[in-house]
Amino acid sequence: VEETFQKWGREEILADVVRTIRRVRPDVIGCMSPTGEGGGQHHQTTARLTIEAFRAAADPNRFPEQIAEGLLPWQPRKLYTQVRIGMGGRGPRSNRPAPSGAVGMDTGQYDPVLGRSYYQMGAEARSMHRCQSMSQLRGLPGERISHWKLIDSDFEVSGDESDIFDGVEMGLDRFKDFVKAEASQTEFFLVGLEALKKSVKDSNLAFDARAPWKTLPPLREGLGIVRKLRQDIAASSLSEAARYELEHRLSVKEQQFVRAIALAHGLGLEPIADQGEVVPGSSLQVDVQVANPSPEPIEVSRVELQLPEGWKQLKKEGETSGRLADDEKISASFDVTVPNDAAYSRPYW
C-alpha cells in the first residue's frame, strides 16, 4: 500500500476522491477492504483513501481550492467496506458465516425488466477487462450475497442493520432534508415536490414494456415540473446552501426525465465514422441517423456533432431537422477536419 501511495501521489489521489464525493454528493458510500493479504494492494489503497475522504469531503479546510472553484463541502451519511467470505460472491459460495453486524446484499435477484440480475450485469462488465484476462467470466443465475461492514456514519446507528440505507431517507423525500430549517419559505417547493412524486408514480403505473410510449404524458408533465422548480428555487429567498443542494439534485432529475422520454419514444441516434482513428491534418466523414420507432411524433430541432476544440465540421448532405412520425428517420453527413496543430490523435466513436 505504501508503495502505491508513493507511485500515485497520496495527496493528489485523496484530492480526487474528495472532489468526486463533493461533486456526486452521495448519501452512502461502499469501498473495498482496506486490509488483507496477497495481491490487490492498490484496491486496499483506494479503500483507505475513501475512508479518509468520507470526513475530509465535509471539511472546508481540506483542499480549499475545490471550494474556491464552486464545490461545497459534503458529508455522506454512511460508509461501508466490503467483507470477503470465501470468494465474496464471485465464485462458489462459502459456508463460512458472515461477521457480526455485516449487512448482506443479494445482487443475484432477477429483474424482469432487465431480464437478468445485477450480478450478471456486473459479470458481463467485468468480462470486458481484456487486459486482465477476464474474458471467460460468466454470471450464472441464483443468489449472490455480498457483505458490507459499517465503518463510519454521521449519525448514531444502533442494533443490526438489514440494509445499507437503513436510517437514510430515499427517494424524492430526501430533498426535504435540505429545507428543514427554512420551513416558512418552502411551501412552493413542497407543493412542487408532491406533484413531481405523482408524475413519477403515474409514469410507473402507465409503463407497458410492449408500448413504452404510454408513459410519455406523465413523463412530460414531470419534466415540466422539474424545470419550473429549478426556476423557482433560483429566484427564491432560500439559503445559498439549500439552493445549491436542490439545484444539484434537480438538474440530475431533469436529465433523467429527458432520458426517460427518449427511451419511451425508443429514439435511435446512430453516428458512424468512416475512420476509427485520425491524426492531425486528416479528415473523416461522419454519417448521423435519427429514427423514431414510436407512434408518437417528435420534432428534431437540430443535429450536430460535438467535436474536440479546434476540429471543424461542414454539413455535406441530408437533413438536420424535421418532424418524425411513426418509424420515420432523418440522415445527415458531415465532413470533419482535424487541425494540423492538434496535440493528440484520438479514436472517434
Side-chain angles (χ1 to χ4, degrees), residues 181-200:
E182 305 174 55
S184 62
Q185 307 173 56
T186 59
E187 182 178 357
F188 78 95
F189 171 71
L190 297 178
V191 171
L193 189 64
E194 290 303 313
L196 185 60
K197 289 165 61 178
K198 183 179 183 302
S199 72
V200 173

Side-chain angles (χ1 to χ4, degrees), residues 85-319:
I85 302 175
M87 293 297 290
R90 288 188 290 142
R93 280 168 284 180
S94 171
N95 292 324
R96 292 166 55 190
S100 176
V103 180
M105 181 187 302
D106 184 8
T107 58
Q109 291 182 348
Y110 178 78
D111 188 302
V113 175
L114 298 174
R116 53 183 173 168
S117 69
Y118 284 101
Y119 169 78
Q120 290 174 301
M121 291 176 64
E124 180 180 349
R126 190 176 179 136
S127 72
M128 301 301 167
H129 295 194
R130 307 298 189 191
C131 65
Q132 297 186 33
S133 300
M134 292 186 177
S135 59
Q136 301 300 311
L137 289 177
R138 182 178 179 185
L140 298 177
E143 181 185 78
R144 292 287 173 172
I145 304 295
S146 58
H147 292 89
W148 300 85
K149 184 75 172 178
L150 182 66
I151 297 298
D152 200 353
S153 67
D154 78 329
F155 64 96
E156 184 178 354
V157 177
S158 58
D160 291 339
E161 296 184 294
S162 60
D163 189 275
I164 62 174
F165 285 97
D166 283 356
V168 178
E169 183 65 61
M170 297 174 63
L172 292 172
D173 281 336
R174 173 69 169 103
F175 292 19
K176 297 178 182 178
D177 290 345
F178 306 111
V179 295
K180 282 182 177 178
E182 305 174 55
S184 62
Q185 307 173 56
T186 59
E187 182 178 357
F188 78 95
F189 171 71
L190 297 178
V191 171
L193 189 64
E194 290 303 313
L196 185 60
K197 289 165 61 178
K198 183 179 183 302
S199 72
V200 173
K201 180 180 179 180
D202 291 344
S203 298
N204 286 327
L205 291 175
F207 177 73
D208 182 345
R210 296 168 297 181
W213 48 86
K214 292 180 180 179
T215 62
L216 285 170
L219 285 175
R220 289 171 179 150
E221 180 182 9
L223 178 59
I225 294 171
V226 169
R227 287 174 170 169
K228 187 175 188 307
L229 273 174
R230 292 184 67 186
Q231 293 174 353
D232 292 345
I233 289 169
S236 73
S237 57
L238 290 171
S239 66
E240 179 182 356
R243 292 200 307 270
Y244 184 95
E245 299 297 348
L246 295 177
E247 167 60 19
H248 169 78
R249 287 159 180 81
L250 287 172
S251 65
V252 173
K253 289 301 169 192
E254 180 173 346
Q255 296 170 18
Q256 291 172 343
F257 270 103
V258 170
R259 176 64 174 158
I261 289 172
L263 289 171
H265 273 288
L267 292 182
L269 174 62
E270 301 292 342
I272 302 175
D274 65 352
Q275 296 185 55
E277 291 188 356
V278 293
V279 296
S282 66
S283 61
L284 69 155
Q285 178 176 310
V286 181
D287 299 322
V288 182
Q289 176 181 288
V290 180
N292 175 29
S294 77
E296 296 292 327
I298 65 167
E299 192 75 35
V300 179
S301 60
R302 185 177 68 256
V303 175
E304 63 180 24
L305 305 180
Q306 290 187 350
L307 301 172
E309 184 178 357
W311 293 31
K312 300 183 184 302
Q313 63 174 302
L314 177 66
K315 185 174 82 72
K316 183 178 180 181
E317 58 186 16
E319 298 296 329

Side-chain angles (χ1 to χ4, degrees), residues 16 31 36 43-44 153 166 214 334 346:
D16 286 343
C31 63
H43 289 165
Q44 297 173 27
S153 67
D166 283 356
K214 292 180 180 179
F334 298 85
R346 137 189 186 141

